[in-house]
Amino acid sequence: TVDAIARQCCAATNDPMRISGCVSYVLREAMKQNGHLYLEQEILVKDALKVLNKELNLQPVTETEILKVLYRLVMQDSIVVEENRVYITQQHQEEEDTASMIARKLHERIPVLTIEKELEEAQEDLNITLSEQQKEAVRMVLQTRSALLLEDLEPEKQRFEYHLSNIYQEKCGNEVKLMAPTGRAARRMAESTGSGDATTMHMALGLFGDGDYEALIDELSADFINVDEVSMVDMHLAYEFFYKVKAGARVLLVGDVHQLPSVGAGDVFRQLILCGKIPVTVLNLVYRQGKDSNIPINAQLINEGKTNLQWGDDFQMVECSGADAAAQIVKNIYLKEIQMYGMEQVQILSPYKVRSAAGVLELNRSLQDEVNPPVSGKRELHLGGEIFREGDRILQNKNTEFASNGDLGTLVQIAEDEDNNPLVQIVFTDGRRVKYEAEQVEMIEHANAITIHKSQGSECQVVIIPWLKAFLSHAEAEHSFIRESPGQNSVFILLGNGKPFVRQSTQMIREPERRCWQ
């Protein structure tokens, strides 16, 4: 926008200020759109040239002019160039500081705990039997002096976290803190461990809104911190977390390396595993689905790059001819399934909010009148082209003091305050009631269909996914939810129009001889 104004005012196309602004724009777009902490220099220059010279016939900006500006930005400490990697200075500093804090944590001297007696007592008291993998994981967490990382390939990791928290408190009696990046994941930790203290990382660290920092919490007081769903943690959140961990505290990071990466910049969890410096235990026993379920079998097949999936009552493929047809089939299945299981146990997932009739926005718009039709006495609120109606299923999309990004609930009341301004009341799935004024309603959206990113950390009885050619770039997202979200005795329904495919590394594998996904 600024560039268009400047060019109308006859500003020089090769003005260093213009080039500097473009470099910043390209780096920040790479962060926002693709999650990159840096760009390689040749890619940055190429992308900047494309933006700077778009629709420009006279006096195009040259590569040499961009390199001169990059040198000046380095001298001004606006960017950092490390070998051929170009960072915005803040992102480079956060990455460096986080690595240093983790390295210091790895060298701390933490007392080794002998926990064999507590392991046996916990199993007797709780009337459970831990697998050998779980026992080894508990020993690793409590018998090493290092900061700890657990790579979780076991969907029912809450079993492990529950036993670990009990054993640690029995042995040490010290403060345990449970947290996760999203409200939904934190509440699942609270339910499964019986701890009411599980919270979002943002709440625990004093981060609200879009990352505004409230300097109310100088240090986390807990002696043992268990963080779940760490694959969703970006570099900025990791930096804020490790900055607050006190010396001597044990840290356990739990996640799935095959899950979706964070929405923000940085692939922290995967890189911590790949660095080879941190103790890692892998849990790969599946407790969530029944032993004969096709869901974990197919998840493993997809993870191995295989397309000979197993079909049955709990894993189905429904034929469709395109996005419009898929949207109609999705709606028909959804309406049928919510009659059997209720809306809270049936979820439509789509990789994109927009792009087609099978995207989240269009599915929600077309479903609202079917699921929650207007009737006399049912109040509505019209805001920004959206209609909110009492009885609507909704999703919170921002972190606040009272609700977390990803929380699901029901809009139960639309009213007015004493000045006739609209008020909306939401009841979330854990029973919390939150009131919103009109300007706060932008924090909620309809949730009969949600994106796969928003679904991470949840479980449902029935999951319905439109899997279309338009969504190929998000194949990993569907795979991620296949692994993570269906509950025991769940039904998993895919709708697709194309040949089977799996993304493995950077290659797309196609097998035309196998069953086509029409």
Side-chain angles (χ1 to χ4, degrees):
T1 302
V2 173
D3 188 49
I5 295 170
R7 286 165 64 181
Q8 287 179 357
C9 297
C10 301
T13 56
N14 64 348
D15 188 315
M17 241 176 130
R18 178 174 185 252
I19 298 173
S20 174
C22 183
V23 167
S24 175
Y25 168 78
V26 170
L27 287 172
R28 293 186 185 281
E29 282 296 294
M31 287 175 55
K32 186 166 63 175
Q33 300 298 332
N34 300 307
H36 297 319
L37 285 173
Y38 65 84
L39 284 179
E40 294 178 0
Q41 182 172 302
E42 52 270 30
I43 294 175
L44 171 60
V45 171
K46 179 181 175 182
D47 289 350
L49 282 170
K50 193 182 300 181
V51 175
L52 287 164
N53 293 330
K54 185 180 180 182
E55 300 175 359
L56 192 65
N57 297 320
L58 299 174
Q59 294 181 318
V61 178
T62 66
E63 181 176 336
T64 301
E65 289 170 326
I66 293 178
L67 292 175
K68 287 180 180 178
V69 170
L70 288 179
Y71 179 80
R72 192 185 72 178
L73 291 173
V74 170
M75 294 297 101
Q76 294 173 346
D77 202 27
S78 297
I79 63 172
V80 173
V81 179
E82 192 175 72
E83 296 180 351
N84 70 328
R85 301 183 296 276
V86 183
Y87 292 79
I88 295 173
T89 300
Q90 179 184 348
Q91 273 61 60
H92 183 267
Q93 193 65 52
E94 286 184 352
E95 186 176 57
E96 289 275 300
D97 290 350
T98 303
S100 296
M101 289 185 285
I102 294 171
R104 286 197 296 272
K105 173 62 65 178
L106 288 166
H107 284 87
E108 286 179 351
R109 295 191 176 277
I110 297 176
V112 174
L113 300 177
T114 304
I115 48 92
E116 295 306 315
K117 177 184 174 184
E118 286 76 9
L119 260 177
E120 295 305 316
E121 290 176 351
Q123 292 181 91
E124 291 178 12
D125 293 344
L126 300 169
N127 194 27
I128 52 93
T129 302
L130 293 177
S131 69
E132 281 305 312
Q133 283 180 318
Q134 289 173 325
K135 289 179 183 178
E136 283 304 313
V138 173
R139 294 185 187 106
M140 184 197 76
V141 173
L142 299 181
Q143 292 183 345
T144 179
R145 59 189 176 88
S146 306
L148 295 158
L149 182 96
L150 178 131
E151 178 184 3
D152 172 49
L153 298 182
E154 173 207 16
E156 195 64 20
K157 74 255 183 178
Q158 283 89 0
R159 285 168 57 98
F160 170 78
E161 293 170 330
Y162 173 64
H163 307 318
L164 178 60
S165 298
N166 278 279
I167 292 170
Y168 180 81
Q169 287 188 311
E170 178 73 21
K171 182 71 179 179
C172 302
N174 296 337
E175 182 182 353
V176 175
K177 187 66 177 176
L178 306 177
M179 61 179 76
T182 68
R184 200 177 324 169
R187 271 178 276 285
R188 283 196 52 74
M189 287 185 82
E191 292 166 4
S192 60
T193 60
S195 170
D197 294 331
T199 183
T200 64
M201 295 180 71
H202 293 80
M203 188 71 71
L205 300 171
L207 298 168
F208 300 103
D210 294 324
D212 296 332
Y213 176 58
E214 294 190 359
L216 303 175
I217 304 168
D218 295 326
E219 184 178 81
L220 293 168
S221 60
D223 300 287
F224 176 62
I225 303 171
N226 183 353
V227 187
D228 199 2
E229 298 288 357
V230 182
S231 64
M232 289 192 277
V233 175
D234 61 26
M235 180 53 67
H236 178 68
L237 188 55
Y239 166 80
E240 294 284 359
F241 170 73
F242 281 103
Y243 185 77
K244 292 288 191 301
V245 175
K246 71 177 185 180
R250 285 180 168 85
V251 176
L252 171 65
L253 306 179
V254 182
D256 184 347
V257 73
H258 299 290
Q259 269 283 11
L260 288 168
S262 61
V263 175
D267 195 7
V268 177
F269 187 64
R270 193 187 314 269
Q271 296 304 324
L272 287 176
I273 292 173
L274 293 176
C275 78
K277 304 292 185 183
I278 302 175
V280 177
T281 293
V282 178
L283 299 181
N284 55 15
L285 297 178
V286 176
Y287 293 97
R288 174 176 291 158
Q289 287 87 27
K291 65 177 182 179
D292 298 322
S293 172
N294 289 312
I295 296 172
I297 295 171
N298 288 335
Q300 187 64 33
L301 286 171
I302 293 173
N303 192 41
E304 293 171 358
K306 298 174 182 177
T307 58
N308 55 324
L309 305 186
Q310 299 188 20
W311 312 100
D313 291 339
D314 63 345
F315 199 101
Q316 305 167 21
M317 171 62 69
V318 180
E319 293 183 1
C320 65
S321 57
D324 291 331
Q328 188 58 52
I329 296 171
V330 166
K331 288 186 285 185
N332 292 341
I333 295 173
Y334 182 73
L335 294 171
K336 174 185 173 184
E337 297 295 336
I338 63 174
Q339 293 298 318
M340 297 174 59
Y341 296 101
M343 282 202 295
E344 289 190 3
Q345 288 300 321
V346 182
Q347 189 63 66
I348 301 169
L349 301 178
S350 184
Y352 289 98
K353 277 194 171 184
V354 293
R355 181 169 287 201
S356 77
V360 167
L361 293 180
E362 286 303 317
L363 284 171
N364 277 323
R365 287 183 185 127
S366 59
L367 271 169
Q368 186 180 27
D369 286 348
E370 299 275 358
V371 175
N372 186 29
V375 297
S376 178
K378 186 183 289 186
R379 304 197 66 177
E380 294 183 349
L381 178 63
H382 295 247
L383 279 177
E386 292 292 326
I387 300 173
F388 290 96
R389 188 175 295 147
E390 290 175 340
D392 281 347
R393 184 163 165 78
I394 64 90
L395 172 82
Q396 175 83 10
N397 59 28
K398 289 187 182 298
N399 287 309
T400 70
E401 187 176 353
F402 306 105
S404 301
N405 190 347
D407 283 353
L408 287 167
T410 303
L411 195 162
V412 295
Q413 186 182 49
I414 297 173
E416 291 91 20
D417 61 17
E418 57 272 14
D419 298 322
N420 294 321
N421 296 313
L423 289 174
V424 169
Q425 187 172 146
I426 308 294
V427 175
F428 291 100
T429 52
D430 61 355
R432 285 171 298 129
R433 287 180 174 264
V434 180
K435 289 185 178 180
Y436 295 78
E437 297 177 354
E439 61 271 17
Q440 296 173 309
V441 175
E442 66 180 18
M443 296 181 184
I444 63 172
E445 57 193 64
H446 294 98
N448 295 304
I450 62 176
T451 62
I452 292 165
H453 263 105
K454 292 289 187 184
S455 72
Q456 201 160 317
S458 62
E459 289 184 2
C460 296
Q461 284 295 108
V462 180
V463 178
I464 308 165
I465 294 184
W467 198 340
L468 309 171
K469 288 181 179 178
F471 299 156
L472 287 182
S473 62
H474 278 235
E476 297 90 340
E478 282 88 354
H479 164 231
S480 172
F481 195 85
I482 290 172
R483 294 177 45 79
E484 174 68 12
S485 297
Q488 192 161 1
N489 302 318
S490 293
V491 178
F492 201 95
I493 303 166
L494 292 170
L495 294 94
N497 64 328
K499 293 185 172 68
F501 66 89
V502 200
R503 186 178 295 281
Q504 187 177 54
S505 185
T506 57
Q507 286 187 313
M508 190 70 81
I509 301 169
R510 299 183 184 277
E511 297 189 353
E513 297 78 20
R514 297 195 184 276
R515 170 174 176 164
C516 286
W517 293 3
Q518 293 297 332

